[in-house]
Amino acid sequence: MTRDEGGAADADAGAPVYATHGLVELLLERASETEPARVNVVLDATPAADFETDLGVEPSTPVLSHVYFPAAGRAVSDVFGVDLGTPAGRGRARFLTHPQGPAELTRRDDLAGVVLLAVPPWETIMAFDRRGRRLSLTVVDAEPPTETLPE
């Protein structure tokens, strides 16, 4: 089952963006807790086919489901300029906050193929493409599959 988080009618172009309810709640909570500081984190997706629940979209559709916080691998990044906090091949999406606005992307933002953006009062998230065009964001009420580390 899905619910629209706004912007569907305002979407200019591009494919719709899907994100899990749990991820959206986590991102909004983080934005609220870090205000007035800005948040800038890398997001990753899980293919729709990997969810136990039928999401009603093509199996290959990416659903944003995970976040990589910047603290991971910070020491190596600071010394060598290598970001170990983001697994190889990741970074197709970012979550940004603008605590003082605006509710749109700016030239100072780190961009990715998809950018989720929140502004106070931290109640909704908007989706944009890298050119700053608004995209439709649909939040799915599904949990991503449980991941385990190899032994």
Side-chain angles (χ1 to χ4, degrees):
M1 93 179 61
T2 62
R3 64 182 172 91
D4 194 323
E5 276 296 298
D10 299 341
D12 290 329
V17 177
Y18 297 90
T20 63
H21 177 75
L23 177 68
V24 168
E25 292 299 314
L26 175 101
L27 295 174
L28 290 172
E29 183 177 308
R30 175 126 173 134
S32 177
E33 290 172 355
T34 59
E35 186 180 10
R38 296 176 78 151
V39 175
N40 181 343
V41 294
V42 175
L43 304 176
D44 194 24
T46 302
D50 291 357
F51 287 81
E52 290 183 18
T53 306
D54 179 14
L55 302 179
V57 298
E58 291 293 320
S60 62
T61 301
V63 178
L64 296 173
S65 56
H66 295 83
V67 63
Y68 294 99
F69 291 109
R74 175 57 73 201
V76 173
S77 176
D78 289 346
V79 175
F80 298 107
V82 177
D83 183 3
L84 296 181
T86 306
R90 307 295 174 122
R92 67 170 299 281
R94 284 197 168 273
F95 172 67
L96 307 173
T97 62
H98 289 171
Q100 275 72 49
E104 60 188 25
L105 296 185
T106 69
R107 291 178 186 230
R108 296 183 317 150
D109 289 327
D110 287 340
L111 301 181
V114 171
V115 178
L116 300 186
L117 176 68
V119 296
W122 314 121
E123 295 172 354
T124 60
I125 291 179
M126 299 165 283
F128 296 88
D129 68 9
R130 74 175 67 246
R131 292 186 177 132
R133 294 178 296 198
R134 185 88 181 259
L135 302 172
S136 170
L137 174 62
T138 299
V139 176
V140 297
D141 291 322
E143 293 294 321
T146 303
E147 296 181 4
T148 59
L149 296 172
E151 293 182 30

